[in-house]
Structures are given as C-alpha cells and as structure tokens.
C-alpha cells in the first residue's frame, strides 16, 4: 500500500493555489459539498452570509477544502480533477460562475493587518499581470512591499473596499475572496500583544463582508479550536467580547 505523497504533507494555501495538481486525488465528501453550497449562497446580491470560520483539528482537511473553495470562487473549477468536477459544477450551485480575486493569508505570530496588507499586494500583482495598472494600484503594490509602511485596522478595511471597486471596474474580478489560514496564530499574537493587534479587526472584516452587497467580499478564517480556547488567559469580560466577535462568523465544523 503506497499512499500518494500529497496525503503525507500539509497544505499551504498560498503555495498550493497555483499548483494544478494540488487537488489531484482529493475525495469530495458530502459534508464538503454541502459546505461549499452553504458558502456559495453568499454570491446572491443581497446575501449577508459572507463571513465564515472553519474549525477543526489538525489533519481533518480544512486547508485542502479551503484550497478547493479559493479555486472554485476564483473561477477555476474547469481545471478540477474529473473525479469530482461534475459534482460541484457552477450550474448546480449558482447560475453565474464566480470570478473573485483570492487574497490568501497564512497566519503567524505577527500583525494580522500587516499580513493582510501584504497579501493584497501579491494578489493585485497576479490579477493585473498582463494588464495596464492604474496609478493607484501601482502605488499600493509598492507600499505593500514596504515592511515599515504604517498599516492600521481601518486602513485594511478601506483598502479592501477600494481594491474591490477597482478590480471590478477594470473587469478583472467580480469581488474578493479573503482567506486567513492559521487564524489562531493571529489570535495568539493578539493575546500576547494587545497593544499591537486589536481583535476587533475581525469584527470589522465580518461587518464589511456582510454589507458588501453587489460587490461581494468573502472572509474565511481557519481555526484548530474555538475562539474561547485562545482567550482562556484573558479576563472574563474580554473573553465575552471575543465570543461576540466569533459569533459574527458563520461556523463550519470539520
């Protein structure tokens, strides 16, 4: 018995998104298909369900499923392995195939705002490859490369909205699909350095997504455990605030 090497390593969302064989051999379960269908309801113009958290232990398949999500929402379902392509075709879920620009972030014990800002810059470079870049986009990509460029939580929200408007206007995308893998590492950083990372950024992201209307912005966060587990060392008052923020994200459990 010789398992494929794909099953012997973890998935890295940013790296594997551009790997055409990353989903080869993936078994689409009924739970995965139903989860995709639930999230896809956010494509409806009046939907307010665009902020999600996917929770589950290490190794249960959260990241590979989210890789599937990112490629599906980016309009890449045509390149899926034939073994499950017909089961998740666009026509079975939505009348119009989505074409959202993926913004892929891997969590670390660092500033979440800074990491998202850098990821937006990388996504824009890929999105505008071969296309004329507006001055504002060129400047943003330049700033995203600067490690010392000041990035506030409000700056992230404003940037996501502005970038979304720009890529839609330029006909390169129909919205944004923000994925935060290993979200727990950012939560750990927030508990250790509350003066550097405000957990309310997640609340603002969820509110922005739910109100994005006909210019959809999705926010997907991946966690190994519930929010309360990361806040156990904080005061009861703060823990309750964290739970309120968690409740702004629809949960899918793996």
């Amino acid at each position: 018995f010789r398992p494929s090497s794909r099953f012997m390593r973890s998935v890295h969302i940013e790296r594997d998104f551009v790997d055409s064989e990353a989903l080869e051999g993936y078994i689409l379960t009924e739970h995965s298909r139903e989860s995709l269908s639930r999230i896809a309801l956010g494509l409806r113009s009046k939907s307010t369900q665009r902020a999600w958290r996917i929770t589950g232990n290490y190794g249960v398949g959260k990241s590979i499923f989210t890789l599937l999500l990112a490629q599906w929402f980016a309009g890449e379902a045509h390149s899926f392995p034939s073994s499950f392509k017909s089961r998740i075709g666009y026509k079975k879920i939505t009348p119009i195939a989505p074409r959202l620009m993926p913004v892929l972030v891997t969590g670390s014990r660092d500033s979440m705002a800074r990491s998202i800002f850098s990821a937006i810059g990388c996504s824009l470079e890929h999105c505008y490859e071969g296309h004329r870049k507006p001055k504002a986009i060129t400047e943003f990509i330049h700033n995203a490369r600067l490690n010392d460029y000041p990035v506030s939580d409000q700056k992230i929200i404003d940037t996501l909205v502005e970038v979304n408007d720009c890529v839609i206007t330029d006909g390169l995308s129909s919205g944004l699909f923000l994925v935060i893998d290993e979200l727990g590492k950012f939560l750990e950083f927030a508990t250790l350095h509350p003066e550097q990372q405000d957990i309310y950024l997640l609340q603002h992201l969820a509110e922005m997504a739910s109100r994005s209307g006909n210019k959809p912005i999705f926010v997907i966060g991946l966690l190994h455990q519930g929010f309360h587990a990361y806040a156990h060392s904080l005061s009861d008052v703060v823990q309750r605030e964290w739970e309120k923020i968690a409740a702004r994200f629809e949960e899918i459990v793996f």
Side-chain angles (χ1 to χ4, degrees):
F1 178 68
R2 296 182 180 179
S4 167
S5 60
R6 186 184 72 76
F7 296 99
M8 300 168 67
R9 64 172 174 84
S10 60
V11 173
H12 190 284
I13 297 291
E14 297 174 64
R15 177 193 63 212
D16 292 338
F17 181 80
V18 296
D19 182 358
S20 60
E21 298 182 356
L23 290 172
E24 195 64 45
Y26 176 63
I27 298 174
L28 184 73
T29 66
E30 188 63 24
H31 177 62
S32 297
R33 191 187 64 78
E34 290 178 357
S35 298
L36 170 60
S37 298
R38 284 179 62 192
I39 296 174
L41 291 175
L43 292 169
R44 297 175 179 177
S45 61
K46 296 183 179 180
S47 176
T48 59
Q49 292 182 313
R50 292 173 180 164
W52 296 83
R53 53 188 168 114
I54 300 175
T55 310
N57 292 331
Y58 176 81
V60 297
K62 302 185 305 299
S63 293
I64 189 68
F65 170 69
T66 306
L67 179 62
L68 166 70
L69 281 180
Q71 293 189 351
W72 191 89
F73 275 87
E76 299 294 329
H78 61 275
S79 64
F80 286 171
S82 57
S83 59
F84 64 92
K85 185 189 299 183
S86 61
R87 295 189 64 194
I88 53 173
Y90 295 124
K91 292 183 180 179
K92 291 187 176 182
I93 300 176
T94 175
I96 301 176
R99 190 164 57 98
L100 276 60
M101 184 181 85
V103 179
L104 310 177
V105 183
T106 301
S108 62
R109 287 195 173 184
D110 201 350
S111 166
M112 178 166 43
R114 175 73 249 176
S115 298
I116 294 175
F117 194 73
S118 297
I120 296 172
C122 292
S123 297
L124 285 174
E125 285 193 84
H126 178 74
C127 186
Y128 276 90
E129 187 176 2
H131 298 273
R132 178 182 171 276
K133 298 184 184 70
K135 183 179 179 181
I137 294 296
T138 300
E139 291 179 352
F140 176 81
I141 292 174
H142 171 73
N143 293 334
R145 293 172 178 167
L146 303 176
N147 292 328
D148 58 349
Y149 188 81
V151 182
S152 65
D153 291 354
Q154 189 58 48
K155 176 70 174 177
I156 287 298
I157 301 300
D158 294 341
T159 295
L160 285 167
V161 173
E162 291 168 8
V163 164
N164 195 34
D165 287 343
C166 196
V167 294
I168 291 175
T169 299
D170 290 342
L172 300 177
S173 175
S174 58
L176 299 183
F177 195 78
L178 171 62
V179 174
I180 307 176
D181 195 9
E182 298 287 351
L183 175 58
K185 291 183 179 179
F186 287 130
L187 298 181
E188 290 171 356
F189 181 80
T191 62
L192 296 172
H193 306 281
E195 75 285 352
Q196 297 182 46
Q197 179 62 67
D198 188 348
I199 191 64
Y200 283 98
L201 172 57
L202 285 173
Q203 176 175 321
H204 298 323
L205 287 171
E207 292 173 349
M208 172 199 63
S210 66
R211 297 172 182 171
S212 53
N214 60 357
K215 296 181 178 180
I217 299 177
F218 285 76
V219 179
I220 313 288
L222 278 68
L223 292 157
H224 292 307
Q225 49 196 343
F227 270 57
H228 63 279
Y230 299 96
H232 71 277
S233 62
L234 303 177
S235 69
D236 291 343
V237 173
V238 175
Q239 288 187 44
R240 285 194 292 271
E241 289 301 311
W242 278 46
E243 285 300 317
K244 290 179 183 178
I245 294 172
R248 295 179 182 271
F249 292 81
E250 296 280 341
E251 186 176 37
I252 291 177
V253 178
F254 267 65

